[in-house]
Amino acid sequence: MNTIETRAFALSIDVPEPVLAVMHELHNAGYEAFIVGGCVRDALLGREPHDWDMTTNATPDQMKEAVGFRSIDTGLKHGTITFLVDSEPIETTTYRTDGTYSDGRHPDSIEFARTLEEDLARRDFTVNAMAWAPDTGVVDPFGGTHDLEDRLLRCVGDARERFSEDGLRVMRALRFAAVYGFDVEEETARAVHEKKWMLGAVSKERICTELTKMMAAPDGRHLADIVGEFCDVVFEVIPELVVTYDFDQENPYHDRDLWTHLLDTMAAVEPDPDLRLAALLHDIGKPSVKTKGDDGIAHYLGHAEAGAAIVEPLLRRLKFSRRAIDEVTFLVAQHDNWPSATKKSARRFLARCGDEPMARKVLALMKADRAAHAEKLSHRSIDSLDGVEEYLDAVLAENTAFSVKDLAVSGDDLLAMGWRESPALGAELARLFDLVLAGDVPNEREALLAEIGSSRGDTPAEA
């Protein structure tokens, strides 16, 4: 085996038995085998790896001859074989080096390499360029363990060259920094800024995936700091946000520019990708509706609706799912539509949101938005929203309806009473729903049937 400097790390790696089984069979046949990349990084950080990838000096044909488990040719041209051990897929790839990247995304060619160090040298960041085997420990030729300890994201080798090879690495740098709580090393950061234009060659689906993962970062404040530091990269992906940068809100309710307000709002919500994205975009409509009164104070009437009209097509352009588009757009549209602290208002708020999880998200966005206002006003507003939440809890404890389909009666009940299929039948159900929302009639079958009976008149068939 090629001798590579190794460094003991404080945390051991508990590798699953199916992975060890493939590794042992390769070792017994005289080949090297290591787990590699993200699984080593996550294991050393005490996280549960999502996937266990393996690398070896055996070629695909040699792997299949040496390993007795069933194999699938999942990527032969890249040297990848997947072994199935107790139905667990173990992806194993021959050491390789990459050729030139003429499209800024994929290598034009790959060649099998002789040594593990050659394979690790082609990877993006030092924390992803480590390997491990039971008899060797951590193999770390580029200082990844040091960077893990220092919480530092650094490219392997020349940073500009790494980003020139694959433009997606620009977004991956932001995602890794945000999710793992890393700072970006100085040369790597400079290269990120310099190579941001390469995102134009990256598919929108891949950018969407990285952005979604980034928005799930556990520390919202660190996420906001990374997005703020690399705002030029974010603007490359979401150019609609450029107008918010250094935008003076000229309003006593705000003590920071619009871009900073968006970052602070995003920092204050939980690590839910849709909620985080809505927080980053919630006031994107403000510049388009800004007006000024005679007193010099700026006003933003209709900015939530204007923002929703901007957000829906931009998320569609970035290939977000229909569900995510609908949810983020709804959050943006509703963030300034405050319910009153009354039970009746709480019922209507729930009906507007459609269900409890969405109602909770809208309230969370409202609170985060207010927390990012001028301090002298934010606490009073948040106290008001706490009052709304108390009424929301009370309403949820009742057997109430949040839509017509939740009523204790249905159209079939009206038909059984002699109503005909007609718009009037739907109007009657809508009227009953309004009565339940207002608290005038309980959502109980007998009470609703009595209300129908008292309102339909003597000739229901003519309704």
Side-chain angles (χ1 to χ4, degrees):
M1 175 180 176
N2 182 58
T3 302
I4 299 174
E5 179 184 355
T6 65
R7 175 172 179 265
F9 203 78
L11 298 174
S12 61
I13 296 181
D14 185 15
V15 179
E17 284 301 322
V19 179
L20 289 175
V22 175
M23 188 178 290
H24 287 157
E25 294 210 6
L26 287 167
H27 284 168
N28 290 339
Y31 298 109
E32 300 170 7
F34 297 85
I35 59 169
V36 68
C39 60
V40 178
R41 176 201 65 227
D42 287 349
L44 292 177
L45 288 171
R47 296 172 173 236
E48 183 67 31
H50 296 296
D51 301 295
W52 294 88
D53 294 328
M54 195 180 305
T55 189
T56 176
N57 62 344
T59 66
D61 287 340
Q62 290 170 335
M63 281 190 257
K64 287 193 281 188
E65 184 178 344
V67 178
F69 299 107
R70 181 189 167 199
S71 65
I72 303 172
D73 296 344
T74 47
L76 277 182
K77 70 176 183 178
H78 296 108
T80 301
I81 299 289
T82 297
F83 294 102
L84 295 177
V85 185
D86 298 331
S87 300
E88 182 78 20
I90 311 299
E91 191 172 277
T92 310
T93 302
T94 306
Y95 298 161
R96 73 181 216 205
T97 59
D98 296 338
T100 57
Y101 289 70
S102 59
D103 67 352
R105 183 69 187 91
H106 307 95
D108 298 327
S109 62
I110 67 107
E111 292 183 6
F112 294 151
R114 292 185 306 105
T115 67
L116 175 61
E117 185 171 13
E118 288 177 279
D119 183 89
L120 296 177
R122 71 180 174 82
R123 297 172 185 266
D124 50 9
F125 306 110
T126 61
V127 296
N128 297 334
M130 297 179 289
W132 179 92
D135 59 342
T136 309
V138 177
V139 179
D140 179 26
F142 302 106
T145 52
H146 287 288
D147 287 338
L148 280 184
E149 289 179 337
D150 295 338
R151 287 294 193 271
L152 197 64
L153 191 72
R154 182 197 311 270
C155 280
V156 174
D158 184 89
R160 288 171 179 79
E161 185 177 340
R162 293 290 81 77
F163 292 123
S164 294
E165 291 168 345
D166 182 356
L168 183 62
R169 288 172 175 170
V170 171
M171 282 300 297
R172 280 169 60 85
L174 270 61
R175 191 250 293 183
F176 281 123
V179 171
Y180 289 93
F182 295 154
D183 292 323
V184 183
E185 179 268 335
E186 187 176 344
E187 284 299 317
T188 300
R190 272 200 284 267
V192 168
H193 291 298
E194 182 181 315
K195 297 295 184 178
K196 62 181 182 291
W197 61 271
M198 292 196 65
L199 288 170
V202 179
S203 73
K204 297 297 188 292
E205 290 86 353
R206 296 304 299 270
I207 289 175
C208 175
T209 297
E210 293 298 324
L211 191 59
T212 300
K213 290 179 179 179
M214 186 169 75
M215 289 292 150
D219 185 341
R221 185 66 263 169
H222 185 71
L223 167 65
D225 290 344
I226 292 297
V227 172
E229 180 182 355
F230 296 96
C231 62
D232 56 327
V233 178
V234 176
F235 295 160
E236 193 79 18
V237 174
I238 310 177
E240 293 89 343
L241 280 169
V242 172
V243 294
T244 71
Y245 187 80
D246 205 25
F247 181 89
D248 188 347
Q249 301 197 68
E250 299 183 86
N251 187 296
Y253 291 99
H254 291 279
D255 56 0
R256 62 206 85 178
D257 68 83
L258 182 54
W259 174 243
T260 304
H261 170 72
L262 295 177
L263 293 178
D264 290 345
T265 303
M266 182 177 65
V269 296
E270 63 189 44
D272 174 285
D274 294 337
L275 185 55
R276 285 261 179 84
L277 194 56
L280 181 63
L281 300 172
H282 76 280
D283 276 348
I284 199 169
K286 274 190 169 181
S288 66
V289 300
K290 181 179 179 180
T291 60
K292 262 191 178 183
D294 294 338
D295 56 2
I297 294 177
H299 302 280
Y300 302 97
L301 186 64
H303 75 275
E305 294 83 359
I310 295 169
V311 166
E312 197 275 340
L314 86 79
L315 294 181
R316 198 161 14 94
R317 184 186 72 241
L318 290 174
K319 306 299 183 182
F320 276 83
S321 69
R322 185 71 254 174
R323 181 209 56 77
I325 293 170
D326 290 345
E327 180 160 316
V328 175
T329 302
F330 181 82
L331 287 166
V332 171
Q334 295 296 323
H335 83 271
D336 205 42
N337 191 5
W338 278 38
S340 303
T342 66
K343 188 173 282 191
K344 180 177 179 179
S345 180
R347 289 193 193 95
R348 294 196 177 278
F349 175 64
L350 269 168
R352 186 167 78 242
C353 293
D355 57 29
E356 180 186 357
M358 180 55 75
R360 299 289 186 190
K361 286 189 180 185
V362 173
L363 282 176
L365 180 55
M366 289 174 173
K367 285 186 177 183
D369 180 23
R370 283 308 186 259
H373 278 57
E375 187 175 358
K376 63 180 180 180
L377 299 167
S378 62
H379 294 302
R380 188 172 63 208
S381 299
I382 292 171
D383 288 344
S384 173
L385 286 172
D386 287 339
V388 172
E389 203 148 25
E390 290 177 11
Y391 280 106
L392 180 64
D393 292 337
V395 168
L396 286 166
E398 300 172 349
N399 180 29
T400 192
F402 306 134
S403 67
V404 169
K405 65 181 176 58
D406 295 327
L407 287 172
V409 296
S410 67
D412 290 341
D413 294 304
L414 272 72
L415 292 172
M417 296 174 67
W419 289 68
R420 292 176 180 170
E421 287 278 8
S422 69
L425 187 148
E428 178 65 3
L429 289 173
R431 186 184 73 85
L432 294 174
F433 179 55
D434 283 340
L435 290 172
V436 170
L437 277 184
D440 296 333
V441 178
N443 187 32
E444 297 171 1
R445 180 176 174 77
E446 293 305 319
L448 291 171
L449 289 175
E451 174 60 32
I452 295 169
S454 66
S455 66
R456 67 177 186 166
D458 295 328
T459 56
E462 298 176 0

